[in-house]
Amino acid sequence: MSQKLFSWIVFTIIFFICVSPVAVMVIEAIGKEDILIQLLHSKESLDSFFNSLILSVFVSFMTTLIGTLVGLILGKTNISLKKAILFLMLIPLLLPPYILALGWVDMLGVVGFFSELLFGFLGVSLVLFTLYLPIPVLFVLFYLKHINPHLEEAAYIYCDKKYVLSRVTIPLILPSIILSFLLVFILSFGEYSVANVLRYSVFPLESFVQFSAFYNFDGAIMMAMPMLLIALFVLFIEQFYLEKRIFKYKSFDYIHIFKLENNQKIYIVAIMIFCAFFMVVVPFWGLFSKIGSVDIFLIAFVKCLDSLLHSLLFASVSATILTFFAFIAAYIVYSKVFLVSKLIDMSLIFLFIVPSTVLGIALILFWNRPWIDFVYTSVLIVFFGYFAKYLFLGSKLIQHRFTQMPYSMVEAAMIFGADWKKILKYIFLPASYKVLGVVFIVFYIFILRENTITMLVYPPGYETLPVYIVTQMANGKEEIIAALCIIMTLSALIPFLLAMMLFRKKERA
Amino acid sequence: MISIEDVYFNHLDESKEILKGLNLQIKSAQRVVIIGASGSGKTTILRLIAGFIAPTKGLIKFDEVIIAKDAKSYLPPYKRGISMVFQDLALWPHMNVEENVAFGLKMKNIPKNQINEDVKRYLSMVDLQNYNYKRIENLSGGEQQRVALARALIVKPKIVLMDEPLSSLDEDLNKQLRRKIVSLQKKLGFSLLYVTHNKEEAKEIGERIIVMKDGVIREKVENVRL
């Protein structure tokens, strides 16, 4: 089989499973504009749309600003405790978003001055800020590693470090800053579970409510359309503006570090640890204080055992299959096969930035029909949801690994007559073992924490732990919910920590 | 004059000494070439003089003023009156040719019309008239090399450090540019410290040639051909 044919088969699979449901949803929406107009005429819907818009602009602006600063401090200075600070900041991203919100509610209660602040714009902003802060931090750290240190040293000959940062370092990583702004914008626009806990009206919740509370499928589809348009707009910017502006850098032996004085280092580390502690540890303290005793924890554990097992099973099986597909997709995109590579790349980015509510509704609409409803009635639909949403993440990580490999390795294999399959098997696969491990962990964590798509599409009897916690929020005891949140946190953190230790051990070896 | 006295250097995380008791003087308007195999410590000397690193032990003086001594650097790179041409040229890809060349003058707050004049003059000096608005990625290797040269010279440095700047060019272009470098040095009168592993290049450029091996100077030669 030729590489071109293989690439088109892979694209067809991705298109059929993931893209066509969204396409069908758009087709279904045509001619029903009056429903959207009618829905948007209601003050609540319009308010929630503007709430979402202002919230996501504010959150993305703040996270990008502070995240860039934190990324520059962690990546470019000689402060200590960098890894500990980064790890603390990363924790919220590894968990279902509503856990932090629940933690704050448990910490501040539901009455009083601080609680009034929490249940509204400020509270939702704080939680979403904490949740998405690691995105610009990781983007900045990643791109800083790929800046040729000589570019900064060449500027340091003419100006001081502040100018080096503002004239050379920041302009070089600017496309990645813009990219992280867009990503945070789209993620916060599509996120509703935090707002749901903190009783703040946001637009994705409208679509979700139309579907799950009113069983108004047309309404849900039409409410998804504005979100889809925003996702398309972001895709357009990424593909036609940013992609050309991200300079292709190699990895370098060292990073140009700006050395700080000892007292500066102490102040900066103290401020960062205080902020990370306030944003991450305080809400968890709220959850712990609500649990009270070990008995409650054990009761919660017994109650959630089935859903926990579903979560672990879904996460491990899906992560394994997704890692395989991500490797294949990355190879096709990297190989730049005419048209199909671009189509796959664009499809994966688009599916990643489409809000989960929209994706969930699209999957139901597409797969809940005669002949193919075996998907809708089985866990396959849950898997398809994860496949659509997260394949992009793994594919991008693996593509990055491929671009680090000298192309002469491929050419050397070609001279000996290796075709594309053998090159994939003997050159790319062995060179990617480590990154495949990382990709598996990324998939595992993101699938484990996923709640929106699963909530919409899971078949009866297969609820996952994040979904179980959401259902408990309606009428469960507060202390049990708090205990469930801690179990969820541990089930995400333990494999993450184990993986980190394993990679570190291998690196040292 | 630059004076390097009994300088030792090793990286913090490595025990291996890269420089072992180095002594070297560079007089003003002199062309000194350091030649040696990979890992002999050539580039480290340039980075010490530039101020990117400080000697683990020993001292560096500029015109009898100590600027770095025993792991401490007293003068940052931008106050040393130096320029550098890197092996990979280190041209900023987010700036065009003019912006790259004008950067050093902008940082010195030189008036804009003066900057424009100087950029024009130095670009013509390296035969790159009308290249002002070209993007770096659209230039050939030789053109990029000349932009790096103009960028280094426009600030009228007392000393220019060059780290194998011609190593990626073909033989003809290499010869052409090394002549250009010598003629510019004679015309502008800066000191030149040039690192290479190419003997031909060293003979053509250097008034003094220093041979390095394993962090020490093995030989100092006054270039009789010049």
Side-chain angles (χ1 to χ4, degrees), chain A residues 106-351:
Chain A
D106 286 345
M107 192 70 204
L108 299 177
V110 287
V111 283
F113 174 71
F114 288 113
S115 138
E116 264 179 39
L117 287 179
L118 180 66
F119 285 93
F121 179 82
L122 277 181
V124 180
S125 300
L126 172 70
V127 175
L128 292 182
F129 172 80
T130 312
L131 191 66
Y132 297 130
L133 186 65
I135 293 174
V137 174
L138 291 175
F139 267 70
V140 168
L141 284 175
F142 177 80
Y143 278 90
L144 283 178
K145 272 191 181 169
H146 294 82
I147 289 184
N148 180 350
H150 288 167
L151 295 175
E152 289 167 316
E153 286 171 352
Y156 197 27
I157 287 172
Y158 307 112
C159 56
D160 65 14
K161 289 167 185 176
K162 278 180 283 177
Y163 276 100
V164 176
L165 263 184
S166 64
R167 301 295 175 99
V168 176
T169 313
I170 293 176
L172 286 174
I173 59 166
L174 190 62
S176 72
I177 296 172
I178 297 171
L179 201 63
S180 65
F181 176 89
L182 291 173
L183 190 59
V184 174
F185 174 80
I186 201 81
L187 289 173
S188 31
F189 195 89
E191 165 54 38
Y192 75 90
S193 66
V194 172
N196 190 29
V197 172
L198 299 177
R199 296 172 214 156
Y200 188 69
S201 170
V202 290
F203 198 67
L205 198 58
E206 291 287 322
S207 177
F208 189 77
V209 166
Q210 289 295 332
F211 173 73
S212 59
F214 302 136
Y215 300 107
N216 178 2
F217 213 84
D218 284 346
I221 292 172
M222 294 316 294
M223 291 303 252
M225 286 302 124
M227 291 189 274
L228 202 58
L229 281 177
I230 288 174
L232 279 171
F233 174 68
V234 172
L235 177 72
F236 178 80
I237 296 177
E238 198 279 332
Q239 287 289 308
F240 297 101
Y241 174 75
L242 283 175
E243 207 191 29
K244 293 179 195 115
R245 279 165 178 79
I246 293 176
F247 302 106
K248 305 275 187 284
Y249 292 125
K250 296 178 239 162
S251 282
F252 293 91
D253 294 343
Y254 69 101
I255 293 179
H256 185 73
I257 293 286
F258 298 115
K259 286 181 181 156
L260 299 174
E261 302 293 326
N262 275 346
N263 57 340
Q264 287 176 317
K265 282 197 279 185
I266 292 167
Y267 285 132
I268 289 173
V269 170
I271 291 169
M272 288 177 87
I273 287 185
F274 174 77
C275 292
F277 192 83
F278 173 76
M279 292 189 308
V280 182
V281 181
V282 171
F284 279 101
W285 181 253
L287 290 172
F288 273 114
S289 60
K290 189 59 88 180
I291 297 169
S293 71
V294 181
D295 290 348
I296 299 287
F297 193 80
L298 289 174
I299 293 167
F301 184 75
V302 173
K303 280 181 98 153
C304 76
L305 194 57
D306 278 354
S307 52
L308 177 63
L309 288 175
H310 289 148
S311 278
L312 298 177
L313 188 70
F314 286 1
S316 41
V317 173
S318 304
T320 309
I321 301 169
L322 255 69
T323 304
F324 170 75
F325 271 95
F327 178 70
I328 300 291
Y331 179 66
I332 296 170
V333 175
Y334 170 81
S335 304
K336 292 192 170 70
V337 182
F338 177 67
L339 194 63
V340 66
S341 297
K342 193 76 189 157
L343 283 172
I344 289 180
D345 195 34
M346 282 175 68
S347 304
L348 296 185
I349 299 171
F350 174 69
L351 291 163

Side-chain angles (χ1 to χ4, degrees), chain A residues 67-129:
Chain A
T68 303
L69 186 69
V70 172
L72 286 170
I73 291 171
L74 293 180
K76 299 298 292 179
T77 68
N78 56 338
I79 63 160
S80 45
L81 296 172
K82 285 181 187 180
K83 280 183 181 165
I85 294 168
L86 185 63
F87 175 69
L88 257 183
M89 284 182 180
L90 266 178
I91 292 173
L93 197 63
L94 309 177
L95 307 171
Y98 57 76
I99 286 188
L100 270 192
L102 283 169
W104 276 112
V105 173
D106 286 345
M107 192 70 204
L108 299 177
V110 287
V111 283
F113 174 71
F114 288 113
S115 138
E116 264 179 39
L117 287 179
L118 180 66
F119 285 93
F121 179 82
L122 277 181
V124 180
S125 300
L126 172 70
V127 175
L128 292 182
F129 172 80

